[in-house]
Amino acid sequence: MQATGFSLRTSWRVLMILTASVITGYAQTATPTTPAADFHSKIQPILENYCYDCHGDGESRAGVAFDKLGSDKELLGQTQIWFKALKNVRAGLMPPAGKPRPTPAEVEQLANWIKFEAFGINEKNPDPGRVTVRRLNRVDYGNTIHDLMGVDFNAQEAFPPDDTGRGFDDIGDVLSISPLLLEKYLQAADTIVKKAVPAVSSVIKTTVATAQDFKRTDGKGNNVQMSALNAATTAHTFTIDQTETYRMVVDLSANGSFDFSPGHCKVIGRVDGQQLFQEDVIWHERQPIHYEFTQQWTAGQHEVSFEVLPYPPVKDPLPQRGAPPPTATPAAADAAVDPVAAVADAVAAAPANAQVLAALAAAGQTPAAAAPATTDPAAAPPAGSALAGRAGRRGAGRRGAPPPKQTSLDVRVVSVRLEGPINDKFWVPPENYSRFFPKGLAPQDDKGRYAYAQEIMRDFATKAFRRPVDDAKVTQLAGIARSVYQQPGKTFEEGIGQAIMAVLASPRFLFMVEKTEPAKPGENFAPVDEYSLASRLSYFLWASMPDQELFDLAAHGELRQQLPAQIARMLRDSRSQGLVKNFVGQWLQARDIETVPINARAVLGITGGPANVASPVDFNAPIRKAMHRETELTFDYVMHEDRSVLEFIDSNYTFLNNTLGTYYDIQDVNGANITGTEFRKVTLPADSPRGGLLTQGTILAVTSNPTRTSPVKRGLFILDNFLGTPPLPPPPNIPALEESKNGFDHDPTLREMLGMHRDKPLCASCHDRMDPLGLALENFNAMGQWRDQDAGQPIVSSGALITGETFNDVRELKHVLTHERQTDFYRCLTEKMLTYALGRGLEYYDVETVDKIVDALQKNDGHFSSLLAGIINSAPFQKQRNVGDPSLSTPTPSTPQPLAFQAAQ
């Protein structure tokens, strides 16, 4: 009976489809149809044939029944249901595996009805979507300050972390501004202005030489520091233009090891061979040496040098407590039994030794106990002396006695600052002066000064607000400046600084305020004006403000005409690293690699020995930074070389330096070790499992647990960031995977434990999708290194996707993702980058925009330029809704759904 029933139902559906086709064909030739009529005639038969087993005829999986959607008006208003249906059918998730699937033509027919009839998308003039006024996030703020003010400002430390939405921290909906953040913006403006804007019109010319500018005169050793145990001289030559009076400020530093060092020396400072100062230096953890001199210098070159002269070694006046009487020569014995005479001899030998002995006494040490270990024969005590005898016995002392500690005392050049000429007629404008005062000094008369203030503030505010500023705002800002510089003792520059501070605290600076071109009558959408386009472009590609060329093109209305050339120019600019670092850092969670907790000993299975002993392979900061750089360079290479974005999944190369190459145990294609600290492109062997982002240490580590891999996290990562179909969040109170061990009589592998987990129906629907993807990466441990076994058993990395594709290892999985699931990846990457570029989440009306970009990728073999140009030329990037048009209000569902939606189960 069941079989007969199924046959009758199927026959009825076929009859309905045929009848509908005849009616539809007739209707198309007679009169235009409505979306509701098209649904009943074209779409409902498809749903009945493929979907009603779960979503109709009394079934309502996930609360969806296609035959219970209400009236025609209600049916067309179910945008979220149609949105999910479109995504699930396209991804091959629905109908489920084992069920008949619609043909490609049927899928296209369903997609077109959903997009153009249910959603009402106008293919030729799509809705650009809503825009939330977006605040500059911390990265944007720091980069903008650098480009606008010419100074660096650490916004990461100054401001609290930005909220994230849809996976990114540039989403306008979540970038709110609290009273605390507003206060921090005011503090930041004050700090930045004091650092960047000169407060006076002229200063003494200053030339600074740092440690790196000084060179050893003998050409040996470290230019930065000189040991108190070895004579050395370091020097630098200053060149001056005027014969005048100059001030020289010397800053040196004596830096000792943590443990006391008996080294001591004198430091002599000279100019052109003439001694200016001499100072005795003894052990100190950090002792500044500061001198200032005012001298008449002639025009030309002058050498400033510092010489270190060690004093003779301190004699050892006191025997160590508990040491046996030494055997020595008579002279040495006399010295050993007369400590007072020994101290007197030491002081007589070198006056500085008195300071050393005083320091020793204060530290509670004897010179012998603190003597440094040395292998220099010239520094060893004379043979046969009491000191030599004692040193010999120390080396052969108690069994297990620790070796002497290595100690040191170094003299370092911090800086030498030459100021002058001191005569104010030779003074010069301060650094950065021309940036803020391009015409030089302010006029002396009040009218002229005010006009200059207006000109300065108009230019600055135009750049800071990223569009021309109105006269009222210029008057306000110039008035702030005048109210300050007219005060007694205040300068014109201080007044401008105060006005600039007001600009940096203005909402026009902190928020990306956009405007549109004048809309034509009856048009719902209008292009954003060219200044807004310049800002959208620069914050997308640079994470910073537009430069002067973009401003000039916008001012002349020529930016849109020159977009291809400007995109190419902006990608060549070093500021394009803003896109690399910020998009990659969030799309791939690459920012987390340097802080993700990983216990190397636990990952490698080291259970014995002291916990503070490092593992054979240390997952340290240099390794983490190298992994981060590998991922950024891969993206950077595909972007700048216009490679196929499929190389993000599978490629025959990666980027390594010696540190990471050794860690991965990878040699270059010629079998040679990778050398040097600089990263370079390395061609991988033909059978290498590496290549592409998924097998890089960054992703493997951030998707792992602290002590082991996590196939669930790794599988979820791929679904979310490469296929665009993440599952629903897990239900509450899910037990830890390790609890599954109780069901085995041996130490199970992760594959075995996950298999037991998937046997539960509640868990299978999600884990059947995640686990095969994650298990394909099991040959890589939580630290990103290759392994062949788990729990003493060979790792099996084969599997099958829920859409039916099978693979034997990660190499074959990457082939599946770049071929059978290629369109899914194109769509997912497009959605991610479009979200980042727009600063908002995508909605159902953005589907056609995404589809057009995916079509361009497919036609152009996935070249990165197709993705970038598609986004920048899209309606959401180029246009904006007309403000105040009630017909453009977007229905808000009770639970908003992102485009990378939680797929219905």
Side-chain angles (χ1 to χ4, degrees), residues 265-501:
C265 63
K266 63 180 175 181
V267 178
I268 302 173
R270 298 184 177 93
V271 172
D272 297 331
Q274 299 296 315
Q275 179 174 319
L276 289 184
F277 71 88
Q278 172 180 316
E279 178 157 332
D280 292 330
V281 176
I282 62 171
W283 174 85
H284 198 285
E285 284 192 61
R286 186 173 183 84
Q287 176 185 359
I289 301 172
H290 180 83
Y291 284 95
E292 295 187 15
F293 303 96
T294 300
Q295 289 184 314
Q296 184 82 9
W297 281 19
T298 58
Q301 294 186 333
H302 298 271
E303 182 186 75
V304 177
S305 65
F306 303 104
E307 182 180 13
V308 171
L309 292 176
Y311 280 116
V314 181
K315 294 184 178 181
D316 192 357
L318 301 173
Q320 283 191 311
R321 185 176 299 173
T327 302
T329 62
D334 290 341
V337 298
D338 189 357
V340 175
V343 172
D345 290 343
V347 174
N353 285 349
Q355 295 175 300
V356 176
L357 294 173
L360 286 168
Q365 303 184 56
T366 67
T374 179
T375 58
D376 184 358
S385 69
L387 198 58
R390 177 175 294 175
R393 285 193 300 278
R394 285 184 192 134
R398 294 192 310 272
R399 185 176 301 172
K405 293 182 178 179
Q406 296 288 339
T407 61
S408 64
L409 175 62
D410 299 319
V411 176
R412 306 184 183 188
V413 176
V414 178
S415 67
V416 175
R417 188 170 75 252
L418 184 64
E419 301 174 350
I422 293 178
N423 189 332
D424 60 8
K425 74 176 183 178
F426 296 106
W427 286 13
V428 296
E431 183 181 4
N432 234 12
Y433 192 83
S434 61
R435 173 186 287 270
F436 299 99
F437 307 95
K439 292 186 176 180
L441 301 179
Q444 294 301 312
D445 63 290
D446 185 66
K447 183 178 179 180
R449 290 166 76 86
Y450 182 69
Y452 191 27
Q454 285 183 309
E455 181 179 347
I456 289 173
M457 294 315 303
R458 183 182 297 277
D459 291 344
F460 180 82
T462 293
K463 292 179 180 178
F465 296 163
R466 302 173 285 277
R467 65 174 52 255
V469 65
D470 55 273
D471 291 341
K473 177 58 68 174
V474 171
T475 300
Q476 179 190 27
L477 294 172
I480 293 174
R482 182 163 61 179
S483 69
V484 173
Y485 68 66
Q486 285 185 338
Q487 297 177 21
K490 294 292 185 178
T491 65
F492 177 79
E493 290 75 15
E494 287 177 299
I496 294 297
Q498 191 69 28
I500 289 177
M501 195 182 306

Side-chain angles (χ1 to χ4, degrees), residues 599-604 606 610-619 783 785:
N599 185 331
R601 290 172 59 85
V603 170
L604 297 175
I606 302 173
N612 60 350
V613 176
S615 67
V617 179
D618 192 10
F619 195 59
M783 296 157 54
Q785 293 181 304

Side-chain angles (χ1 to χ4, degrees), residues 774-797:
L775 289 169
L777 299 171
E778 267 299 276
N779 280 110
F780 298 96
N781 67 17
M783 296 157 54
Q785 293 181 304
W786 182 263
R787 61 178 183 169
D788 294 308
Q789 293 187 332
D790 175 31
Q793 301 181 49
I795 291 175
V796 178
S797 56

Side-chain angles (χ1 to χ4, degrees), residues 33 141 252 259 285 304 356 378 434 442 584 614 631 655 659 820 853:
T33 60
Y141 186 97
L252 309 178
D259 294 298
E285 284 192 61
V304 177
V356 176
S434 61
V584 171
T631 302
F655 292 85
T659 299
E820 287 84 349
I853 299 172

